[in-house]
Amino acid sequence: MEARAIQRTVRQSARKMRLVVDLIRGRAVPEAYAILRFSKKLAAKQIHKVLKSAVANAEQAAQRQNAPLDVDRLRVQYAVVNEGPTLKRFTMAAMGRGTPIKKRTSHVEIRVAAPPALPKAPAPAAPAAAQAAAKEKPRGGAKAPAKKRTKTAAKRSKKASK
């Protein structure tokens, strides 16, 4: 089960948000929640919201498909922060000038997925005769045929012997 959540135009620069997203990428969801909860970065609060939304989306998708879902097994499969539109503002400067201010925004996307459950395959039952034959194999088998020498290989060996 895979689900995603996107938050657009978050009022924080992508550079600052990436520092936090890098901490949770590839982690289990409960572990990611703990990291975000105790992070001192302001971006952690926004990313926590997006992660919470992605988990809720996974639960809803599982419910729609009538499939069981264990939230504790979910992992942050994909987490990325891209730059959003920049808000351009001006502040007053000396001598009647204006100094530009760039208010950066960012887009956060997080995908969570549960690792596929591996089906338990029954152990193959080998007949007793096959096991006995495998034990009685002679150790010194036939050798593999030698490689055919090309003309260039023969010339190289002549030069090396001189």
Side-chain angles (χ1 to χ4, degrees):
M1 182 63 50
E2 184 177 318
R4 72 176 187 157
I6 300 173
Q7 185 178 15
R8 298 200 182 274
T9 61
V10 181
R11 268 295 291 124
Q12 192 161 19
S13 70
R15 185 175 176 183
K16 292 176 184 177
M17 301 272 289
R18 283 186 194 117
L19 294 173
V20 180
V21 165
D22 290 342
L23 295 174
I24 66 163
R25 192 178 291 121
R27 308 269 182 149
V29 168
E31 188 181 353
Y33 278 145
I35 290 169
L36 294 173
R37 167 106 167 68
F38 295 107
S39 175
K40 291 183 179 181
K41 301 277 186 185
L42 191 69
K45 189 174 181 181
Q46 294 295 329
I47 292 168
H48 187 276
K49 286 181 182 180
V50 180
L51 180 61
K52 193 173 174 183
S53 178
V55 170
N57 291 345
E59 286 176 345
Q60 287 296 313
Q63 201 171 29
R64 264 186 257 116
Q65 294 176 359
N66 204 16
L69 178 73
D70 184 15
V71 176
D72 294 337
R73 288 191 66 234
L74 289 176
R75 297 189 79 76
V76 179
Q77 185 182 24
Y78 177 83
V80 69
V81 177
N82 294 318
E83 288 184 17
T86 301
L87 306 173
K88 296 177 176 88
R89 304 288 185 259
F90 287 91
T91 187
M92 294 178 285
M95 291 187 257
R97 292 192 204 118
T99 304
I101 295 174
K102 293 181 180 178
K103 296 189 176 189
R104 311 259 183 194
T105 63
S106 53
H107 302 317
V108 183
E109 181 181 357
I110 295 179
R111 284 189 211 146
V112 293
L118 298 174
K120 294 183 180 178
Q131 288 178 351
K135 287 181 181 176
E136 294 178 15
K137 254 186 189 174
R139 291 189 178 216
K143 289 184 177 179
K147 284 186 177 179
K148 188 176 178 182
R149 290 181 64 184
T150 60
K151 289 181 181 179
T152 55
K155 288 180 182 178
R156 284 187 197 137
S157 63
K158 278 186 180 180
K159 286 182 181 179
S161 64
K162 285 183 181 180

